[in-house]
Amino acid sequence: MTEFALDTSLALWIIAGFGLAWVVFGWWLGRRNENHEDFALAGRNVGFAFATATAMATWVTSNTTLVAPQLTYQFGLWGMVGYSFAALGLILFAPMAKRIKQLLPNGYTSGDFIRLRYGQFAWAVFIIISIVYAFGWLVSLGMAGGILLESLSGLDYHLGMSAILLICVLYTLFGGLRAVIATDFIQALIIIVGVVLVAFWLMDNVGLDTIHQHLTDDHPKLLDVLFPASLMFLFNNIFFGLGEIFHSNVWWSRALAFHRNVAYKAYLTGGLLWLPIPIVTGFIALAAPQLGIFPPSADMVGPAVAAAVLGKVGAVVVFIVVFSALASSLDSLLAASADLLTQDIYHKRINKSASDAQLMRVNRWMILALGIMTWLFCLPRIATLGALLNFAGAFVASTIWPIVLGLYQRRLTGVYAGLAMAVGTLTGLIGYFTIGFYVAALLSCAVSGLICAVGLLYTKPTFDWQQLDEGGTSDAHQ
Amino acid sequence: MLVFAFSSSVQAQQLQLDVPTAPVNEGYFTVSVSGMDNTSGLFIEVANDPQFTQNYQKIPALGDFTQLSLSGFDDGTYYLRAMADGQHSAVQTVTVEHYPLWQALSLFAAGAALFALLVVSLLLLHRNAYRSPNNGAQQ
């Protein structure tokens, strides 16, 4: 019988305790939501501290706590360093967030922008990409919850996955974005303290020299800076990260919810705070061979090593940190995806005269429906987290150029933007299946960029920025 | 190229080790073991020779799991066998052949160029947006 780092019952108690606290907190915060704008965008008045914390905490996710160690275990040093470059997404989004806030002071979603800027064709392509990505991320987060519990406590994967999904759905349902941002703030503090503790204990217990010697002897490629597969993976991962942030309503809704003049500083600071976290979580994986830990699936390596080194107390710390990281992303994605479906599909397509109360109600139903669908997709454990995420890279990287040019360039038209996203995605997918995952995002972004460049060369009409302001007079055209 | 070598060993054969059936280009792969009565005490032995004397490693499975994810292997041929309850599986062989370095560096350079173009474009466009009165946003 295996000795797991955590008793199954203790793991369940931690989940129940944190889950109850967050659901009650979400309900308490949700009492202040008077209308749909409060629910979906926290009243558009989030200050710097909460804004920075939510930017950082949302980006600390299963990607950082489970996939960063996985990629380090597979790709060595470049896996670790390369993963931290995903912070570039947040940092480069900082100026764009400022621009978004100015161009769309009354906007709700990234879909709003694409529809108004590029029209129906590009919007349809964009919505498909957004939905595929959102489900990919939601499913990866749900799976990560199950994997975490299984590797630390031996609890059945399906039970752990269901518990984490249920908790996040409940408090997002009650509190909306206000609850998401407030819990993100607390979760960010837990994550930072926990990650520092794990790194300190690991270096104190195992030691850098020992780890280095063992890797040199038995796993030399993990220390090789010219490790071919990791070199191929590096920029693909960067473009994947950029695509995720640039297109996703998770980040757009925050830019729109932040107080004026806060968005730029918050994303920049959040990115800089996030940068070292994958280095720490990835480093944990390098100790695995020295400790004799060879997990059944590479995405289990982080929790398995931390629990082995830190013992039962450490396992509790790791468990809470990873649980917080998963929750901070799951709630954000649930809220942002539900906003997208409510605004872009229900409000703009099905019921244009929907009342505020109807929008609130539909938004909550969307959160619930997303939660249930995610649960269904998570039931079969279809792929490793890394594989699942890299598949989504082909989709999101195609949006990078259309988003950047759409925000700043008046010449690119919807036909070219839509084609860029569609053809870019298809090319990325072909690359994913015929060459490998390490070219999916790179090819997608490159082809999309080429089509956008052609569009800029051959398009004469220029876009009127005033068309972006649906709900009133924007300060963009003052 | 990946080669399967089915040992003619007389050791108990109910223990079966499965390894990847395609060339390993990334230096990491997963192996799994079946045919065990008791799932604890499972090890995978790895070496550079079929006698298991060169660069010998004895790798334990985690807990009750019968699958192991292995990584960090350099180019070469590796001999593997499972061991549990004093019994060995047949020897399997995995050959690791990393991608050519020129191919990796070409992709790296292409990615770097595209990234540089994106960053420069974004920064220039952002700066111009706040300089031009016709570009939607004024400070």
Side-chain angles (χ1 to χ4, degrees), chain A residues 110-131:
Chain A
S110 52
D112 270 345
F113 169 74
I114 295 292
R115 179 176 50 82
L116 295 167
R117 174 67 182 81
Y118 288 131
Q120 301 302 331
F121 168 59
W123 175 84
V125 178
F126 181 81
I127 287 293
I128 292 169
I129 290 171
S130 293
I131 289 173

mmCIF file with all atom_site columns, all heavy atoms in Angstrom, chain A residues 110-131:
data_model
loop_
_atom_site.group_PDB
_atom_site.id
_atom_site.type_symbol
_atom_site.label_atom_id
_atom_site.label_alt_id
_atom_site.label_comp_id
_atom_site.label_asym_id
_atom_site.label_entity_id
_atom_site.label_seq_id
_atom_site.pdbx_PDB_ins_code
_atom_site.Cartn_x
_atom_site.Cartn_y
_atom_site.Cartn_z
_atom_site.occupancy
_atom_site.B_iso_or_equiv
_atom_site.pdbx_formal_charge
_atom_site.auth_seq_id
_atom_site.auth_comp_id
_atom_site.auth_asym_id
_atom_site.auth_atom_id
_atom_site.pdbx_PDB_model_num
ATOM 1   N N   . SER A 1 110 ? -13.662 41.042 -24.970 1.00 0.00 ? 110 SER A N   1
ATOM 2   C CA  . SER A 1 110 ? -12.773 41.070 -26.134 1.00 0.00 ? 110 SER A CA  1
ATOM 3   C C   . SER A 1 110 ? -13.579 40.830 -27.408 1.00 0.00 ? 110 SER A C   1
ATOM 4   O O   . SER A 1 110 ? -13.258 41.344 -28.479 1.00 0.00 ? 110 SER A O   1
ATOM 5   C CB  . SER A 1 110 ? -11.674 40.019 -25.992 1.00 0.00 ? 110 SER A CB  1
ATOM 6   O OG  . SER A 1 110 ? -12.226 38.755 -25.703 1.00 0.00 ? 110 SER A OG  1
ATOM 7   N N   . GLY A 1 111 ? -14.657 40.040 -27.283 1.00 0.00 ? 111 GLY A N   1
ATOM 8   C CA  . GLY A 1 111 ? -15.531 39.799 -28.430 1.00 0.00 ? 111 GLY A CA  1
ATOM 9   C C   . GLY A 1 111 ? -16.196 41.080 -28.918 1.00 0.00 ? 111 GLY A C   1
ATOM 10  O O   . GLY A 1 111 ? -16.373 41.287 -30.122 1.00 0.00 ? 111 GLY A O   1
ATOM 11  N N   . ASP A 1 112 ? -16.553 41.958 -27.960 1.00 0.00 ? 112 ASP A N   1
ATOM 12  C CA  . ASP A 1 112 ? -17.097 43.274 -28.322 1.00 0.00 ? 112 ASP A CA  1
ATOM 13  C C   . ASP A 1 112 ? -16.146 44.001 -29.266 1.00 0.00 ? 112 ASP A C   1
ATOM 14  O O   . ASP A 1 112 ? -16.557 44.562 -30.283 1.00 0.00 ? 112 ASP A O   1
ATOM 15  C CB  . ASP A 1 112 ? -17.222 44.157 -27.059 1.00 0.00 ? 112 ASP A CB  1
ATOM 16  C CG  . ASP A 1 112 ? -18.570 43.996 -26.381 1.00 0.00 ? 112 ASP A CG  1
ATOM 17  O OD1 . ASP A 1 112 ? -19.479 43.446 -27.017 1.00 0.00 ? 112 ASP A OD1 1
ATOM 18  O OD2 . ASP A 1 112 ? -18.697 44.430 -25.225 1.00 0.00 ? 112 ASP A OD2 1
ATOM 19  N N   . PHE A 1 113 ? -14.884 44.006 -28.887 1.00 0.00 ? 113 PHE A N   1
ATOM 20  C CA  . PHE A 1 113 ? -13.878 44.727 -29.674 1.00 0.00 ? 113 PHE A CA  1
ATOM 21  C C   . PHE A 1 113 ? -13.771 44.151 -31.083 1.00 0.00 ? 113 PHE A C   1
ATOM 22  O O   . PHE A 1 113 ? -13.792 44.883 -32.077 1.00 0.00 ? 113 PHE A O   1
ATOM 23  C CB  . PHE A 1 113 ? -12.514 44.671 -28.974 1.00 0.00 ? 113 PHE A CB  1
ATOM 24  C CG  . PHE A 1 113 ? -11.391 45.145 -29.835 1.00 0.00 ? 113 PHE A CG  1
ATOM 25  C CD1 . PHE A 1 113 ? -11.215 46.487 -30.104 1.00 0.00 ? 113 PHE A CD1 1
ATOM 26  C CD2 . PHE A 1 113 ? -10.492 44.242 -30.409 1.00 0.00 ? 113 PHE A CD2 1
ATOM 27  C CE1 . PHE A 1 113 ? -10.184 46.936 -30.926 1.00 0.00 ? 113 PHE A CE1 1
ATOM 28  C CE2 . PHE A 1 113 ? -9.468  44.668 -31.223 1.00 0.00 ? 113 PHE A CE2 1
ATOM 29  C CZ  . PHE A 1 113 ? -9.305  46.014 -31.480 1.00 0.00 ? 113 PHE A CZ  1
ATOM 30  N N   . ILE A 1 114 ? -13.660 42.820 -31.176 1.00 0.00 ? 114 ILE A N   1
ATOM 31  C CA  . ILE A 1 114 ? -13.490 42.198 -32.495 1.00 0.00 ? 114 ILE A CA  1
ATOM 32  C C   . ILE A 1 114 ? -14.720 42.467 -33.373 1.00 0.00 ? 114 ILE A C   1
ATOM 33  O O   . ILE A 1 114 ? -14.601 42.769 -34.564 1.00 0.00 ? 114 ILE A O   1
ATOM 34  C CB  . ILE A 1 114 ? -13.260 40.667 -32.340 1.00 0.00 ? 114 ILE A CB  1
ATOM 35  C CG1 . ILE A 1 114 ? -11.938 40.404 -31.613 1.00 0.00 ? 114 ILE A CG1 1
ATOM 36  C CG2 . ILE A 1 114 ? -13.281 39.961 -33.694 1.00 0.00 ? 114 ILE A CG2 1
ATOM 37  C CD1 . ILE A 1 114 ? -10.700 40.774 -32.377 1.00 0.00 ? 114 ILE A CD1 1
ATOM 38  N N   . ARG A 1 115 ? -15.888 42.378 -32.781 1.00 0.00 ? 115 ARG A N   1
ATOM 39  C CA  . ARG A 1 115 ? -17.123 42.605 -33.559 1.00 0.00 ? 115 ARG A CA  1
ATOM 40  C C   . ARG A 1 115 ? -17.175 44.041 -34.081 1.00 0.00 ? 115 ARG A C   1
ATOM 41  O O   . ARG A 1 115 ? -17.476 44.286 -35.250 1.00 0.00 ? 115 ARG A O   1
ATOM 42  C CB  . ARG A 1 115 ? -18.336 42.308 -32.678 1.00 0.00 ? 115 ARG A CB  1
ATOM 43  C CG  . ARG A 1 115 ? -19.683 42.526 -33.342 1.00 0.00 ? 115 ARG A CG  1
ATOM 44  C CD  . ARG A 1 115 ? -20.827 42.117 -32.410 1.00 0.00 ? 115 ARG A CD  1
ATOM 45  N NE  . ARG A 1 115 ? -20.696 42.712 -31.088 1.00 0.00 ? 115 ARG A NE  1
ATOM 46  C CZ  . ARG A 1 115 ? -21.077 43.952 -30.773 1.00 0.00 ? 115 ARG A CZ  1
ATOM 47  N NH1 . ARG A 1 115 ? -21.623 44.720 -31.701 1.00 0.00 ? 115 ARG A NH1 1
ATOM 48  N NH2 . ARG A 1 115 ? -20.923 44.425 -29.555 1.00 0.00 ? 115 ARG A NH2 1
ATOM 49  N N   . LEU A 1 116 ? -16.880 44.991 -33.193 1.00 0.00 ? 116 LEU A N   1
ATOM 50  C CA  . LEU A 1 116 ? -16.975 46.398 -33.586 1.00 0.00 ? 116 LEU A CA  1
ATOM 51  C C   . LEU A 1 116 ? -15.838 46.810 -34.510 1.00 0.00 ? 116 LEU A C   1
ATOM 52  O O   . LEU A 1 116 ? -16.005 47.622 -35.421 1.00 0.00 ? 116 LEU A O   1
ATOM 53  C CB  . LEU A 1 116 ? -16.975 47.290 -32.335 1.00 0.00 ? 116 LEU A CB  1
ATOM 54  C CG  . LEU A 1 116 ? -18.190 47.125 -31.423 1.00 0.00 ? 116 LEU A CG  1
ATOM 55  C CD1 . LEU A 1 116 ? -17.947 47.802 -30.084 1.00 0.00 ? 116 LEU A CD1 1
ATOM 56  C CD2 . LEU A 1 116 ? -19.428 47.696 -32.103 1.00 0.00 ? 116 LEU A CD2 1
ATOM 57  N N   . ARG A 1 117 ? -14.675 46.263 -34.283 1.00 0.00 ? 117 ARG A N   1
ATOM 58  C CA  . ARG A 1 117 ? -13.499 46.667 -35.063 1.00 0.00 ? 117 ARG A CA  1
ATOM 59  C C   . ARG A 1 117 ? -13.444 45.969 -36.415 1.00 0.00 ? 117 ARG A C   1
ATOM 60  O O   . ARG A 1 117 ? -13.069 46.566 -37.414 1.00 0.00 ? 117 ARG A O   1
ATOM 61  C CB  . ARG A 1 117 ? -12.232 46.359 -34.240 1.00 0.00 ? 117 ARG A CB  1
ATOM 62  C CG  . ARG A 1 117 ? -10.895 46.573 -34.949 1.00 0.00 ? 117 ARG A CG  1
ATOM 63  C CD  . ARG A 1 117 ? -10.647 48.039 -35.253 1.00 0.00 ? 117 ARG A CD  1
ATOM 64  N NE  . ARG A 1 117 ? -9.379  48.206 -35.972 1.00 0.00 ? 117 ARG A NE  1
ATOM 65  C CZ  . ARG A 1 117 ? -9.236  48.022 -37.276 1.00 0.00 ? 117 ARG A CZ  1
ATOM 66  N NH1 . ARG A 1 117 ? -10.270 47.652 -38.017 1.00 0.00 ? 117 ARG A NH1 1
ATOM 67  N NH2 . ARG A 1 117 ? -8.072  48.214 -37.852 1.00 0.00 ? 117 ARG A NH2 1
ATOM 68  N N   . TYR A 1 118 ? -13.809 44.665 -36.423 1.00 0.00 ? 118 TYR A N   1
ATOM 69  C CA  . TYR A 1 118 ? -13.593 43.875 -37.645 1.00 0.00 ? 118 TYR A CA  1
ATOM 70  C C   . TYR A 1 118 ? -14.875 43.348 -38.295 1.00 0.00 ? 118 TYR A C   1
ATOM 71  O O   . TYR A 1 118 ? -14.830 42.827 -39.401 1.00 0.00 ? 118 TYR A O   1
ATOM 72  C CB  . TYR A 1 118 ? -12.692 42.682 -37.339 1.00 0.00 ? 118 TYR A CB  1
ATOM 73  C CG  . TYR A 1 118 ? -11.246 43.037 -37.086 1.00 0.00 ? 118 TYR A CG  1
ATOM 74  C CD1 . TYR A 1 118 ? -10.573 42.538 -35.965 1.00 0.00 ? 118 TYR A CD1 1
ATOM 75  C CD2 . TYR A 1 118 ? -10.539 43.845 -37.966 1.00 0.00 ? 118 TYR A CD2 1
ATOM 76  C CE1 . TYR A 1 118 ? -9.231  42.838 -35.743 1.00 0.00 ? 118 TYR A CE1 1
ATOM 77  C CE2 . TYR A 1 118 ? -9.205  44.152 -37.740 1.00 0.00 ? 118 TYR A CE2 1
ATOM 78  C CZ  . TYR A 1 118 ? -8.560  43.649 -36.626 1.00 0.00 ? 118 TYR A CZ  1
ATOM 79  O OH  . TYR A 1 118 ? -7.242  43.945 -36.414 1.00 0.00 ? 118 TYR A OH  1
ATOM 80  N N   . GLY A 1 119 ? -15.991 43.359 -37.597 1.00 0.00 ? 119 GLY A N   1
ATOM 81  C CA  . GLY A 1 119 ? -17.231 42.861 -38.190 1.00 0.00 ? 119 GLY A CA  1
ATOM 82  C C   . GLY A 1 119 ? -17.499 41.390 -37.905 1.00 0.00 ? 119 GLY A C   1
ATOM 83  O O   . GLY A 1 119 ? -16.768 40.738 -37.154 1.00 0.00 ? 119 GLY A O   1
ATOM 84  N N   . GLN A 1 120 ? -18.553 40.870 -38.569 1.00 0.00 ? 120 GLN A N   1
ATOM 85  C CA  . GLN A 1 120 ? -19.110 39.561 -38.199 1.00 0.00 ? 120 GLN A CA  1
ATOM 86  C C   . GLN A 1 120 ? -18.200 38.372 -38.522 1.00 0.00 ? 120 GLN A C   1
ATOM 87  O O   . GLN A 1 120 ? -18.100 37.435 -37.734 1.00 0.00 ? 120 GLN A O   1
ATOM 88  C CB  . GLN A 1 120 ? -20.454 39.352 -38.905 1.00 0.00 ? 120 GLN A CB  1
ATOM 89  C CG  . GLN A 1 120 ? -21.501 40.402 -38.568 1.00 0.00 ? 120 GLN A CG  1
ATOM 90  C CD  . GLN A 1 120 ? -21.792 40.482 -37.076 1.00 0.00 ? 120 GLN A CD  1
ATOM 91  O OE1 . GLN A 1 120 ? -21.659 39.503 -36.361 1.00 0.00 ? 120 GLN A OE1 1
ATOM 92  N NE2 . GLN A 1 120 ? -22.171 41.664 -36.603 1.00 0.00 ? 120 GLN A NE2 1
ATOM 93  N N   . PHE A 1 121 ? -17.569 38.412 -39.696 1.00 0.00 ? 121 PHE A N   1
ATOM 94  C CA  . PHE A 1 121 ? -16.747 37.250 -40.092 1.00 0.00 ? 121 PHE A CA  1
ATOM 95  C C   . PHE A 1 121 ? -15.598 37.021 -39.103 1.00 0.00 ? 121 PHE A C   1
ATOM 96  O O   . PHE A 1 121 ? -15.419 35.921 -38.567 1.00 0.00 ? 121 PHE A O   1
ATOM 97  C CB  . PHE A 1 121 ? -16.208 37.458 -41.516 1.00 0.00 ? 121 PHE A CB  1
ATOM 98  C CG  . PHE A 1 121 ? -15.134 36.479 -41.917 1.00 0.00 ? 121 PHE A CG  1
ATOM 99  C CD1 . PHE A 1 121 ? -15.386 35.108 -41.910 1.00 0.00 ? 121 PHE A CD1 1
ATOM 100 C CD2 . PHE A 1 121 ? -13.865 36.926 -42.287 1.00 0.00 ? 121 PHE A CD2 1
ATOM 101 C CE1 . PHE A 1 121 ? -14.390 34.203 -42.274 1.00 0.00 ? 121 PHE A CE1 1
ATOM 102 C CE2 . PHE A 1 121 ? -12.866 36.018 -42.644 1.00 0.00 ? 121 PHE A CE2 1
ATOM 103 C CZ  . PHE A 1 121 ? -13.133 34.661 -42.636 1.00 0.00 ? 121 PHE A CZ  1
ATOM 104 N N   . ALA A 1 122 ? -14.849 38.092 -38.860 1.00 0.00 ? 122 ALA A N   1
ATOM 105 C CA  . ALA A 1 122 ? -13.723 37.969 -37.923 1.00 0.00 ? 122 ALA A CA  1
ATOM 106 C C   . ALA A 1 122 ? -14.237 37.619 -36.525 1.00 0.00 ? 122 ALA A C   1
ATOM 107 O O   . ALA A 1 122 ? -13.611 36.833 -35.800 1.00 0.00 ? 122 ALA A O   1
ATOM 108 C CB  . ALA A 1 122 ? -12.928 39.267 -37.880 1.00 0.00 ? 122 ALA A CB  1
ATOM 109 N N   . TRP A 1 123 ? -15.379 38.181 -36.155 1.00 0.00 ? 123 TRP A N   1
ATOM 110 C CA  . TRP A 1 123 ? -15.953 37.903 -34.831 1.00 0.00 ? 123 TRP A CA  1
ATOM 111 C C   . TRP A 1 123 ? -16.257 36.406 -34.687 1.00 0.00 ? 123 TRP A C   1
ATOM 112 O O   . TRP A 1 123 ? -15.974 35.797 -33.650 1.00 0.00 ? 123 TRP A O   1
ATOM 113 C CB  . TRP A 1 123 ? -17.220 38.730 -34.634 1.00 0.00 ? 123 TRP A CB  1
ATOM 114 C CG  . TRP A 1 123 ? -17.945 38.429 -33.372 1.00 0.00 ? 123 TRP A CG  1
ATOM 115 C CD1 . TRP A 1 123 ? -17.700 38.940 -32.125 1.00 0.00 ? 123 TRP A CD1 1
ATOM 116 C CD2 . TRP A 1 123 ? -19.045 37.520 -33.206 1.00 0.00 ? 123 TRP A CD2 1
ATOM 117 N NE1 . TRP A 1 123 ? -18.564 38.408 -31.204 1.00 0.00 ? 123 TRP A NE1 1
ATOM 118 C CE2 . TRP A 1 123 ? -19.403 37.536 -31.851 1.00 0.00 ? 123 TRP A CE2 1
ATOM 119 C CE3 . TRP A 1 123 ? -19.757 36.706 -34.081 1.00 0.00 ? 123 TRP A CE3 1
ATOM 120 C CZ2 . TRP A 1 123 ? -20.447 36.765 -31.334 1.00 0.00 ? 123 TRP A CZ2 1
ATOM 121 C CZ3 . TRP A 1 123 ? -20.787 35.925 -33.565 1.00 0.00 ? 123 TRP A CZ3 1
ATOM 122 C CH2 . TRP A 1 123 ? -21.125 35.966 -32.213 1.00 0.00 ? 123 TRP A CH2 1
ATOM 123 N N   . ALA A 1 124 ? -16.858 35.824 -35.753 1.00 0.00 ? 124 ALA A N   1
ATOM 124 C CA  . ALA A 1 124 ? -17.219 34.397 -35.692 1.00 0.00 ? 124 ALA A CA  1
ATOM 125 C C   . ALA A 1 124 ? -15.975 33.528 -35.507 1.00 0.00 ? 124 ALA A C   1
ATOM 126 O O   . ALA A 1 124 ? -15.963 32.605 -34.680 1.00 0.00 ? 124 ALA A O   1
ATOM 127 C CB  . ALA A 1 124 ? -17.961 33.997 -36.966 1.00 0.00 ? 124 ALA A CB  1
ATOM 128 N N   . VAL A 1 125 ? -14.931 33.852 -36.268 1.00 0.00 ? 125 VAL A N   1
ATOM 129 C CA  . VAL A 1 125 ? -13.676 33.074 -36.131 1.00 0.00 ? 125 VAL A CA  1
ATOM 130 C C   . VAL A 1 125 ? -13.119 33.247 -34.719 1.00 0.00 ? 125 VAL A C   1
ATOM 131 O O   . VAL A 1 125 ? -12.704 32.283 -34.062 1.00 0.00 ? 125 VAL A O   1
ATOM 132 C CB  . VAL A 1 125 ? -12.627 33.539 -37.171 1.00 0.00 ? 125 VAL A CB  1
ATOM 133 C CG1 . VAL A 1 125 ? -11.318 32.779 -36.995 1.00 0.00 ? 125 VAL A CG1 1
ATOM 134 C CG2 . VAL A 1 125 ? -13.150 33.351 -38.577 1.00 0.00 ? 125 VAL A CG2 1
ATOM 135 N N   . PHE A 1 126 ? -13.152 34.491 -34.255 1.00 0.00 ? 126 PHE A N   1
ATOM 136 C CA  . PHE A 1 126 ? -12.596 34.794 -32.930 1.00 0.00 ? 126 PHE A CA  1
ATOM 137 C C   . PHE A 1 126 ? -13.352 34.060 -31.820 1.00 0.00 ? 126 PHE A C   1
ATOM 138 O O   . PHE A 1 126 ? -12.748 33.536 -30.880 1.00 0.00 ? 126 PHE A O   1
ATOM 139 C CB  . PHE A 1 126 ? -12.653 36.306 -32.699 1.00 0.00 ? 126 PHE A CB  1
ATOM 140 C CG  . PHE A 1 126 ? -12.092 36.729 -31.374 1.00 0.00 ? 126 PHE A CG  1
ATOM 141 C CD1 . PHE A 1 126 ? -10.727 36.870 -31.187 1.00 0.00 ? 126 PHE A CD1 1
ATOM 142 C CD2 . PHE A 1 126 ? -12.936 37.009 -30.309 1.00 0.00 ? 126 PHE A CD2 1
ATOM 143 C CE1 . PHE A 1 126 ? -10.214 37.253 -29.960 1.00 0.00 ? 126 PHE A CE1 1
ATOM 144 C CE2 . PHE A 1 126 ? -12.424 37.406 -29.072 1.00 0.00 ? 126 PHE A CE2 1
ATOM 145 C CZ  . PHE A 1 126 ? -11.072 37.522 -28.907 1.00 0.00 ? 126 PHE A CZ  1
ATOM 146 N N   . ILE A 1 127 ? -14.674 34.020 -31.937 1.00 0.00 ? 127 ILE A N   1
ATOM 147 C CA  . ILE A 1 127 ? -15.474 33.357 -30.897 1.00 0.00 ? 127 ILE A CA  1
ATOM 148 C C   . ILE A 1 127 ? -15.164 31.859 -30.854 1.00 0.00 ? 127 ILE A C   1
ATOM 149 O O   . ILE A 1 127 ? -15.039 31.264 -29.786 1.00 0.00 ? 127 ILE A O   1
ATOM 150 C CB  . ILE A 1 127 ? -16.987 33.598 -31.137 1.00 0.00 ? 127 ILE A CB  1
ATOM 151 C CG1 . ILE A 1 127 ? -17.333 35.042 -30.780 1.00 0.00 ? 127 ILE A CG1 1
ATOM 152 C CG2 . ILE A 1 127 ? -17.852 32.638 -30.344 1.00 0.00 ? 127 ILE A CG2 1
ATOM 153 C CD1 . ILE A 1 127 ? -17.208 35.398 -29.310 1.00 0.00 ? 127 ILE A CD1 1
ATOM 154 N N   . ILE A 1 128 ? -14.997 31.261 -32.036 1.00 0.00 ? 128 ILE A N   1
ATOM 155 C CA  . ILE A 1 128 ? -14.650 29.829 -32.068 1.00 0.00 ? 128 ILE A CA  1
ATOM 156 C C   . ILE A 1 128 ? -13.310 29.609 -31.364 1.00 0.00 ? 128 ILE A C   1
ATOM 157 O O   . ILE A 1 128 ? -13.156 28.716 -30.526 1.00 0.00 ? 128 ILE A O   1
ATOM 158 C CB  . ILE A 1 128 ? -14.598 29.309 -33.521 1.00 0.00 ? 128 ILE A CB  1
ATOM 159 C CG1 . ILE A 1 128 ? -16.006 29.308 -34.120 1.00 0.00 ? 128 ILE A CG1 1
ATOM 160 C CG2 . ILE A 1 128 ? -13.992 27.905 -33.589 1.00 0.00 ? 128 ILE A CG2 1
ATOM 161 C CD1 . ILE A 1 128 ? -16.056 29.067 -35.619 1.00 0.00 ? 128 ILE A CD1 1
ATOM 162 N N   . ILE A 1 129 ? -12.340 30.457 -31.696 1.00 0.00 ? 129 ILE A N   1
ATOM 163 C CA  . ILE A 1 129 ? -11.014 30.331 -31.061 1.00 0.00 ? 129 ILE A CA  1
ATOM 164 C C   . ILE A 1 129 ? -11.139 30.513 -29.551 1.00 0.00 ? 129 ILE A C   1
ATOM 165 O O   . ILE A 1 129 ? -10.570 29.743 -28.763 1.00 0.00 ? 129 ILE A O   1
ATOM 166 C CB  . ILE A 1 129 ? -10.049 31.370 -31.663 1.00 0.00 ? 129 ILE A CB  1
ATOM 167 C CG1 . ILE A 1 129 ? -9.699  30.997 -33.102 1.00 0.00 ? 129 ILE A CG1 1
ATOM 168 C CG2 . ILE A 1 129 ? -8.770  31.491 -30.822 1.00 0.00 ? 129 ILE A CG2 1
ATOM 169 C CD1 . ILE A 1 129 ? -8.923  32.061 -33.855 1.00 0.00 ? 129 ILE A CD1 1
ATOM 170 N N   . SER A 1 130 ? -11.894 31.522 -29.144 1.00 0.00 ? 130 SER A N   1
ATOM 171 C CA  . SER A 1 130 ? -12.032 31.801 -27.709 1.00 0.00 ? 130 SER A CA  1
ATOM 172 C C   . SER A 1 130 ? -12.668 30.640 -26.969 1.00 0.00 ? 130 SER A C   1
ATOM 173 O O   . SER A 1 130 ? -12.241 30.283 -25.870 1.00 0.00 ? 130 SER A O   1
ATOM 174 C CB  . SER A 1 130 ? -12.895 33.053 -27.494 1.00 0.00 ? 130 SER A CB  1
ATOM 175 O OG  . SER A 1 130 ? -12.228 34.176 -27.966 1.00 0.00 ? 130 SER A OG  1
ATOM 176 N N   . ILE A 1 131 ? -13.692 30.048 -27.588 1.00 0.00 ? 131 ILE A N   1
ATOM 177 C CA  . ILE A 1 131 ? -14.394 28.951 -26.910 1.00 0.00 ? 131 ILE A CA  1
ATOM 178 C C   . ILE A 1 131 ? -13.498 27.717 -26.817 1.00 0.00 ? 131 ILE A C   1
ATOM 179 O O   . ILE A 1 131 ? -13.415 27.072 -25.770 1.00 0.00 ? 131 ILE A O   1
ATOM 180 C CB  . ILE A 1 131 ? -15.723 28.635 -27.631 1.00 0.00 ? 131 ILE A CB  1
ATOM 181 C CG1 . ILE A 1 131 ? -16.703 29.801 -27.379 1.00 0.00 ? 131 ILE A CG1 1
ATOM 182 C CG2 . ILE A 1 131 ? -16.316 27.327 -27.146 1.00 0.00 ? 131 ILE A CG2 1
ATOM 183 C CD1 . ILE A 1 131 ? -17.997 29.712 -28.154 1.00 0.00 ? 131 ILE A CD1 1
#
